[in-house]
Amino acid sequence: MKPRKDTIAIGCSSGFWGDSSYAAAQLVRSGRIDYLVSDYLAEITMSLLARARAKNPAGGYPPDFVESLVPLLPEIRARGIRVVSNAGGVNPRACREALVAAADKVGIPLRVAVVEGDDLMPRAEAIQAMAPREMFTGEPLPSQLLSCNAYLGARAIALALDAGADVVLTGRCVDSAVTLGILMHEFGWRDGDYDLLAAGSLAGHVIECGPQCTGGIFTDWADVPGWEDMGYPIVECSADGSFVVTKPEGTGGLVSTATVAEQIVYEIGDPANYILPDVVCDFTEVKLEQVGENRVRVSNTRGHAPTPSYKVSATWSDGWRVIATMMVAGRDAAAKARRMGAAIIDRTRKLNQAAGRGDYRETSIEVIGAEDTYGAAGRFADCAREVVLKMGLRHGDKAALELFAKEMTQAGVAMAQGTTGLFGGRPTPSPVVRLFSFLIDKAEAPVTVDVGGETQSVDVPRGTKLVPRSAPEGAVEGTKLSASGDTLEVPLIALAWGRSGDKGNDSNIGIIARRPEFLPVLRRELSAERVAAFFAHYLTGEVRRWELPGIHALNFLLAGALGGGGIASLRYDPQGKSWAQMLMDLPIRVPAQWCASGGLLDSTAASA
């Protein structure tokens, strides 16, 4: 199939449900995109949408999508832009009905396709009979599920575009599929073009979190201009799989090899075996090149045959939780906060037991400002003069947490002076929603595309058994650290950028060397064992480390480190978003000559 254009430009306007409602307008009015994509779904989002649909059969999708898109339809039509989004949630047909009705009111008829097959709740009994095990813990499937969705791939999206859809709505699919499906359609990429499919998936991965690749949450935050008008990402994709990351002219943000590298390592796990429904990606030898102001070319992605399974994310209810915060100021603020948190929990425990309720299933006290989240690496526990006390509790009975929420305010008159700032008033208990991930054969989740009332089945490649490819730890040219030579310690931030996030209950930390010469030192100094020791206060499983030589990076996965993850965790940071920045202070030994005048770290170490 001959490509329709040499280059296809795709802009991403949403990285999550709650992202800016103005981003789509920025991208559409830039005049630089052929397609607009958006990502709204996370595991917890699916359970929330399932509840919404249960209350209202016309619900079950993020209404923000329709509300932000409809005012732009005249410009979208005039510019010939097509739209692909997973905004269908758990009810793509209802989302289509709402969008078509709103479009008709402004006089713009739309041909809207829906991709279905991800929602496995109608087959819950059959799945229970299969007795799947949780893919990370081996636990059995809970008897009652809130949601159950397979992560679909990109082929169905490509078919919908082939059929002439103006807008394609999916339910749960892998985040990068909305981009890959477009490229499969435009460039005629086939199911066996694994390197190309991996490249298109990487393009989708880079932009799926919106401005995270255009300077958002970048380690060198002071170098990023224009936070008040951050540019949303555009990828200009070529038929050979390479692409350029950029943003609209005149917007804030920064597109550099470093900002793009940070996003590449974000939540990827094993970079040589990034498993997607269409392809198993290998990002280890990806190349980045600055090709202009706010323009980075990405190339050299590799891919292999997909597996025969879909990953399925189910959610289930496991009682209730409540999280409360209050400020404590003055001398000994941290000590006062810890004593007060323990006293409130002990007092309400006794009151609940007197009322015939059981003990709390779990409690958590963190004093923010006293570096409790740093564990043994904390430095300022005794000298903080203002802190925030965070208390988290889980219980099987909502009434027990309602009693806690009512009685905790007594501390304002009965406990530590300097207590103030009960943010948001008394907290409200919320359900604990846990994630259960498992694999299912692709044949058990048939996929269909409906365009204009005509439904067709999607022939999804079955794939092969995964043969893991280890990410290489080969030699990298540059200065080696001699064990006998003179050394100095510098903070990790002098040598690297970093970004962290979650993969379920695991934390993912990516570390990118600022210069290729620094990678051998990082490889030596930043071992899996040392990272495990730094986060020992949270860690319950092993730490694994992989290397991405192409971008001079290391990637770490900390198993079972997030206290349940998502909204099941009682942590102040349940997704490990802060962990890379916490690690940036870790002392790293470097050759002393690097820090001498004119050395590799002359200016960087001084500023760090």
Side-chain angles (χ1 to χ4, degrees), residues 121-142:
M121 285 299 286
R123 304 190 61 235
E125 289 187 9
I127 291 173
Q128 288 284 356
M130 297 176 191
R133 293 280 175 171
E134 216 284 335
M135 60 189 295
F136 303 110
T137 67
E139 295 177 355
L141 183 69

Side-chain angles (χ1 to χ4, degrees), residues 162-343:
D162 291 345
D166 302 309
V167 178
V168 181
L169 298 173
T170 77
R172 199 60 170 116
C173 62
V174 292
D175 298 342
S176 57
V178 294
T179 297
L180 177 58
I182 293 168
L183 300 178
M184 295 171 76
H185 161 70
E186 287 286 346
F187 296 138
W189 292 349
R190 298 165 298 181
D191 293 327
D193 294 333
Y194 299 131
D195 287 351
L196 296 175
L197 298 182
S201 297
L202 180 57
H205 171 72
V206 168
I207 66 171
E208 70 191 28
C209 294
Q212 284 190 189
C213 66
T214 60
I217 67 171
F218 182 41
T219 297
D220 293 347
W221 60 273
D223 294 341
V224 181
W227 277 2
E228 65 277 4
D229 183 28
M230 286 293 287
Y232 275 68
I234 298 171
V235 280
E236 299 170 353
C237 304
S238 300
D240 66 359
S242 65
F243 58 93
V244 172
V245 185
T246 186
K247 65 183 184 68
E249 295 289 342
T251 60
L254 174 68
V255 182
S256 68
T257 55
T259 67
V260 174
E262 278 200 16
Q263 183 58 22
I264 288 176
V265 299
Y266 182 64
E267 300 180 345
I268 61 170
D270 181 351
N273 299 282
Y274 187 63
I275 303 172
L276 297 172
D278 303 290
V279 63
V280 176
C281 303
D282 182 349
F283 298 150
T284 57
E285 298 294 344
V286 166
K287 304 299 183 186
L288 302 179
E289 179 185 3
Q290 195 81 40
V291 293
E293 184 179 7
N294 291 312
R295 294 180 63 81
V296 171
R297 184 175 185 269
V298 184
S299 62
N300 207 42
T301 312
R302 296 290 177 258
H304 305 281
T307 71
S309 304
Y310 286 128
K311 179 183 176 182
V312 179
S313 287
T315 59
W316 59 287
S317 181
D318 185 26
W320 299 84
R321 73 166 189 169
V322 71
I323 293 179
T325 58
M326 59 179 68
M327 177 180 168
V328 182
R331 293 177 62 88
D332 303 319
K336 289 189 290 186
R338 289 195 184 92
R339 180 182 173 189
M340 186 161 61

Side-chain angles (χ1 to χ4, degrees), residues 93 113 120 145 255 273 275 297 349 364 437 441 539 547 568 580:
R93 289 180 181 264
L120 301 180
L145 301 178
V255 182
N273 299 282
I275 303 172
R297 184 175 185 269
R349 174 186 287 117
S364 170
S437 300
D441 191 277
L539 198 63
E547 187 171 322

Side-chain angles (χ1 to χ4, degrees), residues 348-407:
T348 57
R349 174 186 287 117
K350 292 176 180 177
L351 292 173
N352 272 311
Q353 290 174 337
R357 304 185 187 100
D359 197 1
Y360 296 121
R361 293 180 177 178
E362 181 185 4
T363 64
S364 170
I365 295 174
E366 291 175 301
V367 180
I368 309 304
E371 300 197 1
D372 279 15
T373 58
Y374 280 81
R379 299 174 181 171
F380 305 111
D382 297 328
C383 59
R385 293 186 297 177
E386 56 182 19
V387 299
V388 172
L389 167 65
K390 185 234 72 185
M391 297 170 286
L393 305 92
R394 287 200 304 115
H395 202 285
D397 188 344
K398 183 180 180 180
L401 300 183
E402 290 174 333
L403 182 146
F404 167 85
K406 180 179 179 180
E407 290 296 323

Side-chain angles (χ1 to χ4, degrees), residues 553-597:
L554 302 173
N555 200 53
F556 298 85
L557 192 71
L558 290 71
L562 296 177
I567 66 165
S569 176
L570 298 179
R571 306 263 181 82
Y572 208 80
D573 180 8
Q575 295 175 297
K577 300 290 187 181
S578 63
W579 288 23
Q581 293 306 296
M582 293 165 66
L583 199 62
M584 286 291 113
D585 281 334
L586 190 71
I588 303 293
R589 291 182 303 135
V590 301
Q593 65 266 29
W594 283 12
C595 300
S597 179

